[in-house]
């Protein structure tokens, strides 16, 4: 018999609700239609999915205890009632805020008595109300409190009155005489000149009024507490310095450096206002020449200050004297050397030979030295005018990566005399990579998988290594590709191995996968690549498969009185025998007359009046959630316990007892549900196969044909059982012995 499901004709539907709605407001009415008048339906609010304006993606459907809706109220429409009205209302104390949650998705589940349940969706759109409301703590009596340090940057944003201001709002500062500024967008800014340094906490209270485009307003307060700064003040270590520079010094040469302590220190030249000969690096404090220097005396006034607190500053006086000389510095070719070398260049190799000459022609009086950062300078050495490699230039080292794979140094060529004359030759050497090493296979490339692993299951990861830079820049490939004999694939970049075909064929209990590791981007020439072949072992783990003997049983019992009555115990085991078996009655137990305690089947007497035959299907699994199972068919003939008849009533020949047989025959015409017919059909096919084996066995053992009782249908067995009962009942107070016959 077809059961029509409960209908929710109004859903899905979208309703609009103002955030000003009061508690108890009816949000929506949903019609529930039933096919019968057996009773009112059960409508439940399964879950609520809130959505915020800043996160439009619907969150997973999880019940929220604090949602703003009451349980569904049901009322009938007309009599007899087959149509009902389900009302969704706001609960007491519900507060809606369209800026926080602007949509609720309600999932309703409805079920009429005896009908299938259905699920519908009700979308509630929350709109902004007509009244402008300010959120706490801004609108509270104490207002919002903001704490900032005294050394915050001038005109820096300190606080936003509304975290997400709506369009059309205007902010007005009602507090007068405050150094703080309020922008039209509701941002509180620090004073233009910053906060004054103080050892005490400074407090500023701002009363702010917010007005929307319709004239609605709300107000609140923001208190800004300025905490004393704990940072050290800017101090110049040497406020007075005299510097001597030889005449002829080239542009951008370092003359001296100013050092100051403090936080966020920057440097600037105050005097002269437009310096012509010198410039200062605002970060490092290095003073360099801007052109070739001539004899002069310059007084520089240098300022060191905190860039976030300009009032925190200090000054120093630098006296620079350029000494005159009538002698010139040596000249060299090349005046600038730039090259690139492979990382495999051997120590002692000559990179360049300088050709330098002194103005007086005395080349033997020239000396050569290197200067620069130690990390780069130590890689080279000077052998007279020859620049040579001092150590290995390992491109794959962290030290080389920290230098950006570029080495810089300066060759200082000095001529004798007083004062000494020097010429500097800048050197820039770029180190290029060489693919020196092959990839290495990781250890422990053995994985274990269930032989029933589905398509797409992750087997494991191959994490190869390569000592060349960039490290572990590898590509992975499966030799031979994927196929029936190799049902796996590997990700080119991550090395992830997945299942792409069926496993566990009789010929395969394990697989050996040849995985090739190939390095990339490890050489100046992209075509120069190295590879290594690794073997990955995948072992298949057998899944327990239950087996029961026999698979079909016919049982006869006489219903007793009292508690449970044992019927039989199933003989099942798993292969391999590593997991405990679980037993479930999958069909035929609609009345709930049978129970399973482990492998023991019990019958629960409940006053059965006539003999009855039950066909039970028991599903046996190798554990909870095991993918494989076995089905055992049990045909149980239950005969009710008969009562003793007095001798004086024997003349009636038990006519009254035979009359119920008509009813029994009518009940035997059973119309099972569709799912049971499908299961019984499969069981019938298995039964026919078992009968063929039994017939062959009976022919050999010459057993009586009457033993082939299970070859008949369950209806014939039931009718024969009734015929035997008509011939006579067992004596009162005596139970029929338990007969078990297996097919």
């Amino acid at each position: 018999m077809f059961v029509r499901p409960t209908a929710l004709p109004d859903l899905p539907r979208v309703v609009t609700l103002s955030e000003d709605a009061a508690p108890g407001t009816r949000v929506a009415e949903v019609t529930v239609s039933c096919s019968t008048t057996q009773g009112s339906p059960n409508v439940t609010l399964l879950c609520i999915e809130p959505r915020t304006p800043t996160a439009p993606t619907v969150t997973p459907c999880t019940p929220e205890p604090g949602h703003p809706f009451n349980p569904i109220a049901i009322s009938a429409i007309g009599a007899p009632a087959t149509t009902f009205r389900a009302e969704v209302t706001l609960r007491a104390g519900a507060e809606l805020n369209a800026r926080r949650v602007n949509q609720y998705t309600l999932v309703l589940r409805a079920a009429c008595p005896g009908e299938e349940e259905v699920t519908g969706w009700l979308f509630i759109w929350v709109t902004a109300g007509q009244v402008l409301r300010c959120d706490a703590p801004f609108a509270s009596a104490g207002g919002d409190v903001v704490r900032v340090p005294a050394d915050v940057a001038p005109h820096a944003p300190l606080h936003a009155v509304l975290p997400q201001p709506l369009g059309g709002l205007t902010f007005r500062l009602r507090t007068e005489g405050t150094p703080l500024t309020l922008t039209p967008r509701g941002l509180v800014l620090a004073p233009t000149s910053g906060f004054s340094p103080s050892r005490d906490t400074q407090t500023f209270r701002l009363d702010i009024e917010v007005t929307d485009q319709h004239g609605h307003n709300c107000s609140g307060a923001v208190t800004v507490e300025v905490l004393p700064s704990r940072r050290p003040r800017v101090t110049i270590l040497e406020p007075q310095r005299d510097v001597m520079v030889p005449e002829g010094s080239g542009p951008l040469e370092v003359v001296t450096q100013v050092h100051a302590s403090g936080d966020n220190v920057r440097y600037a030249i105050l005097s002269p206002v437009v310096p012509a000969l010198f410039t200062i690096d605002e970060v490092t404090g290095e003073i360099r020449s801007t052109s070739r220097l001539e004899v002069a005396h310059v007084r520089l006034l240098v300022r060191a200050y905190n860039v976030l607190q300009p009032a925190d500053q200090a000054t120093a006086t630098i006296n620079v004297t350029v000494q005159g000389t009538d002698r010139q510095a040596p000249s060299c070719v090349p005046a600038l050397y730039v090259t690139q070398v492979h990382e495999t260049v051997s120590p002692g190799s000559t990179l360049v030979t300088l050709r330098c000459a002194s103005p007086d022609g005395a080349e033997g009086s020239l000396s050569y030295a290197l200067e620069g950062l130690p990390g780069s300078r130590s890689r080279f050495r000077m052998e007279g005018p020859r620049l040579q490699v001092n150590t290995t230039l390992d491109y794959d080292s962290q030290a080389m990566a920290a230098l950006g794979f570029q080495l810089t140094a300066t060759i200082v060529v000095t001529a004798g005399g007083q004062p000494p004359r020097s010429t500097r030759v800048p050197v820039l050497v770029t180190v290029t990579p060489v693919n020196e090493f092959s990839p290495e296979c990781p250890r422990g490339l053995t994985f274990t998988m269930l032989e029933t692993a589905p398509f797409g299951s992750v087997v494991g990861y191959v994490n190869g290594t390569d000592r060349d830079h960039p490290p572990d820049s590898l590509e992975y490939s499966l030799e031979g590709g994927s196929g029936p004999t190799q049902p796996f694939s590997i990700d080119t970049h991550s090395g992830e191995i997945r299942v792409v075909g069926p496993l566990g064929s009789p010929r395969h209990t394990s697989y050996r996968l040849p995985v090739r590791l190939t390095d990339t981007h490890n050489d100046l020439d992209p075509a120069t690549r190295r590879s290594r072949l690794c073997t990955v072992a995948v072992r298949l783990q057998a899944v327990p498969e239950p087996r029961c003997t026999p698979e079909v049983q016919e049982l006869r019992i006489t219903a007793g009185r009292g508690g449970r009555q044992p019927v039989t115990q199933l003989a099942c085991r798993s292969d391999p025998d590593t997991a405990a078996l679980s037993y479930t009655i999958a069909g035929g137990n609609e009345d709930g007359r049978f129970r399973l305690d482990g492998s023991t089947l019990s019958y629960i007497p409940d006053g059965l009046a006539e003999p009855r035959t039950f066909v039970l299907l028991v599903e046996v699994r190798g554990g909870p959630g095991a993918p494989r199972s076995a089905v055992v068919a049990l045909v149980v003939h239950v005969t009710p316990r008969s009562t003793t008849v007095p001798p004086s009533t024997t003349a009636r020949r038990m006519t009254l007892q035979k009359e119920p047989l008509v009813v029994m025959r009518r009940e035997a015409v059973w119309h099972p549900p569709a799912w049971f017919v499908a299961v019984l059909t499969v069981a019938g096919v298995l039964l026919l196969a078992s009968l063929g084996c039994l017939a062959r066995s009976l022919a050999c053992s010459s057993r009586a044909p009457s033993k082939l009782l299970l070859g008949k249908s369950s209806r014939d067995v039931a009718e024969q059982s009734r015929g035997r009962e008509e011939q006579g009942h067992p004596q009162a107070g005596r139970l029929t012995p338990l007969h078990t016959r297996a097919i």
Side-chain angles (χ1 to χ4, degrees):
M1 178 179 179
F2 176 76
V3 178
R4 188 173 70 89
T6 306
L8 293 173
D10 296 341
L11 300 182
R13 181 157 57 105
V14 178
V15 297
T16 303
L17 181 65
S18 174
E19 65 177 357
D20 296 334
T25 301
R26 182 171 59 189
V27 179
E29 289 185 356
V30 179
T31 302
V32 183
S33 179
C34 300
S35 60
T36 63
T37 60
Q38 297 181 3
S40 61
N42 181 23
V43 183
T44 58
L45 195 57
L46 184 61
C47 59
I48 298 174
E49 301 173 354
R51 187 175 68 173
T52 63
T54 58
T57 303
V58 176
T59 59
C61 185
T62 56
E64 290 194 359
H67 65 79
F69 302 102
N70 287 321
I72 304 300
I74 303 296
S75 59
I77 302 177
T82 60
T83 304
F84 299 82
R85 180 187 299 108
E87 292 186 356
V88 180
T89 58
L90 290 179
R91 66 175 176 81
E95 293 184 0
L96 302 178
N97 192 333
R99 287 182 296 164
R100 295 182 179 177
V101 179
N102 65 347
Q103 180 179 318
Y104 291 91
T105 301
L106 275 59
V107 183
L108 279 69
R109 177 176 294 172
C112 294
E115 300 180 12
E116 298 180 0
E117 65 180 13
V118 295
T119 302
W121 287 263
L122 178 64
F123 302 93
I124 300 176
W125 183 263
V126 182
T127 60
Q130 299 298 325
V131 179
L132 183 62
R133 295 183 298 180
C134 292
D135 298 333
F138 172 70
S140 62
D144 204 353
V145 179
V146 181
R147 295 178 176 86
V148 297
D151 54 0
V152 69
H155 214 64
L158 304 180
H159 178 67
V161 177
L162 294 179
Q164 297 176 355
L166 301 176
L169 296 182
T170 58
F171 299 83
R172 186 173 67 89
L173 185 60
R174 297 189 299 183
T175 303
E176 298 180 357
T178 177
L180 303 178
T181 306
L182 180 66
T183 67
R185 296 181 58 87
L187 290 178
V188 179
L189 305 181
T192 306
S193 59
F195 293 106
S196 60
S198 175
R199 295 184 179 181
D200 300 326
T201 301
Q202 307 173 58
T203 303
F204 301 91
R205 179 180 174 87
L206 306 178
D207 294 325
I208 301 172
E209 182 181 61
V210 184
T211 307
D212 62 9
Q213 57 188 355
H214 302 291
H216 304 110
N217 58 24
C218 64
S219 60
V222 176
T223 300
V224 179
E225 295 183 358
V226 182
L227 305 178
S229 176
R230 298 182 179 180
R231 297 179 180 178
R233 298 185 62 83
V234 175
T235 303
I236 296 180
L237 304 181
E238 190 177 355
Q240 180 86 24
R241 181 184 301 180
D242 296 328
V243 179
M244 306 295 292
V245 181
E247 178 189 13
S249 298
L252 299 182
E253 289 192 12
V254 178
V255 175
T256 186
Q257 185 175 9
V258 180
H259 296 278
S261 61
D263 293 335
N264 307 309
V265 177
R266 296 293 184 270
Y267 302 89
I269 296 178
L270 297 180
S271 178
V273 179
V274 183
L277 299 178
F278 303 97
T279 183
I280 190 169
D281 189 302
E282 66 172 357
V283 178
T284 63
E286 290 182 344
I287 298 177
R288 296 176 180 266
S289 58
T290 58
S291 61
R292 185 172 294 276
L293 298 178
E294 297 179 357
V295 176
H297 178 76
V298 181
R299 180 177 178 273
L300 301 177
L301 182 62
V302 179
R303 172 194 177 207
Y305 63 97
N306 187 336
V307 69
L308 299 181
Q309 193 72 24
D312 183 10
Q313 62 177 349
T315 58
T317 301
I318 309 296
N319 296 312
V320 181
T321 301
V322 182
Q323 293 181 340
T325 177
D326 54 358
R327 306 182 65 185
Q328 298 181 357
S331 61
C332 296
V333 177
L336 173 68
Y337 181 66
V338 179
T339 187
Q340 65 178 18
V341 295
H342 294 295
E343 62 171 324
T344 54
V345 63
S346 59
S349 301
T350 299
L351 299 180
V352 65
T353 301
L354 296 181
R355 300 188 300 276
C356 299
S358 177
D360 56 6
E363 297 184 3
S365 62
L366 300 178
S367 62
Y368 301 85
L370 284 172
E371 66 179 18
L373 297 176
S376 297
R377 184 186 59 193
S378 62
R379 308 282 179 155
F380 306 105
R381 68 188 181 199
M382 294 299 300
E383 291 290 338
R386 296 185 302 275
L387 176 66
Q388 296 181 344
V389 178
N390 187 40
T391 61
T392 56
L393 307 180
D394 188 5
Y395 187 90
D396 308 318
S397 64
Q398 294 182 356
M400 187 64 69
L403 296 173
F405 309 104
Q406 290 185 335
L407 305 176
T408 59
T410 301
I411 303 175
V412 181
V413 183
T414 305
Q418 293 296 329
R421 300 152 297 156
S422 300
T423 297
R424 287 172 168 77
V425 179
V427 176
L428 174 62
V429 178
T430 302
V431 182
T432 59
V434 176
N435 196 349
E436 302 177 88
F437 308 101
S438 297
E440 297 181 1
C441 300
R443 297 181 180 179
L445 289 178
T446 301
F447 305 101
T448 302
M449 291 287 295
L450 291 177
E451 62 181 358
T452 57
F455 183 91
S457 299
V458 177
V459 178
Y461 291 85
V462 179
N463 297 320
T465 57
D466 191 356
R467 289 184 291 170
D468 288 311
H469 187 89
D472 305 334
S473 178
L474 301 175
E475 291 182 353
Y476 303 86
S477 60
L478 193 61
E479 292 289 301
S482 303
T485 60
Q486 198 166 258
F488 301 93
S489 68
I490 188 169
D491 188 270
T492 304
H493 304 288
S494 65
E496 180 188 65
I497 300 177
R498 287 182 176 268
V499 178
V500 296
L503 305 177
S505 62
R507 294 180 301 172
H508 292 91
T509 58
S510 63
Y511 294 88
R512 296 181 66 84
L513 307 180
V515 177
R516 182 167 296 278
L517 279 61
T518 306
D519 56 15
T520 59
H521 312 297
N522 296 135
D523 196 278
L524 189 62
D525 182 8
T528 303
R529 305 175 67 179
R530 293 174 177 264
S531 65
R532 185 181 297 274
L533 194 63
C534 305
T535 301
V536 178
V538 180
R539 299 176 181 175
L540 300 183
Q541 182 178 356
V543 177
E545 180 177 1
R547 299 181 182 274
C548 300
T549 305
E551 296 181 351
V552 180
Q553 297 186 40
E554 182 182 14
L555 310 169
R556 297 181 181 277
I557 64 171
T558 300
R561 297 178 180 175
R564 297 184 182 181
Q565 182 176 346
V567 177
T568 186
Q569 186 172 7
L570 302 179
C572 302
R573 63 181 182 85
S574 62
D575 185 17
D577 191 8
T578 57
L581 300 179
S582 62
Y583 301 83
T584 306
I585 299 178
N589 193 29
E590 290 80 2
D591 298 337
R593 298 175 182 268
F594 295 89
R595 296 288 178 85
L596 270 174
D597 296 325
S599 61
T600 302
L601 178 68
S602 302
Y603 174 74
I604 302 176
D606 60 349
L608 186 67
E610 301 88 12
R612 186 171 176 182
T613 300
F614 298 88
V615 179
L616 305 178
L617 297 179
V618 179
E619 184 180 25
V620 185
R621 288 187 177 273
R628 295 183 178 178
S629 64
V631 177
V632 179
L634 301 176
V635 181
V636 182
H637 303 280
V638 180
T639 303
R641 183 176 182 181
S642 61
T643 58
T644 305
V645 182
S648 60
T649 60
T650 56
R652 291 160 38 179
R653 300 181 183 179
M654 299 178 67
T655 303
L656 296 177
Q657 297 179 1
K658 291 184 178 181
E659 290 180 359
L661 295 178
V662 178
V663 178
M664 291 168 54
R665 294 181 185 274
R666 290 178 182 174
E667 291 182 355
V669 182
W670 180 43
H671 296 279
W675 67 268
F676 187 77
V677 174
V679 174
L680 192 58
T681 301
V682 177
V685 175
L686 298 175
L687 184 60
L688 289 177
S690 302
L691 287 176
C693 298
L694 180 61
R696 183 176 181 182
S697 176
L698 291 176
C700 298
S701 60
S702 299
R703 291 184 177 177
S706 59
K707 301 270 178 117
L708 298 176
L709 182 58
L710 284 181
K712 304 177 183 180
S713 66
S714 62
R715 179 176 177 179
D716 295 335
V717 174
E719 291 184 357
Q720 288 187 6
S721 164
R722 297 189 191 96
R724 286 193 297 268
E725 183 177 353
E726 291 177 3
Q727 295 175 4
H729 294 278
Q731 296 180 1
R734 184 178 180 184
L735 295 177
T736 304
L738 179 63
H739 298 281
T740 302
R741 181 163 50 195
I743 297 178

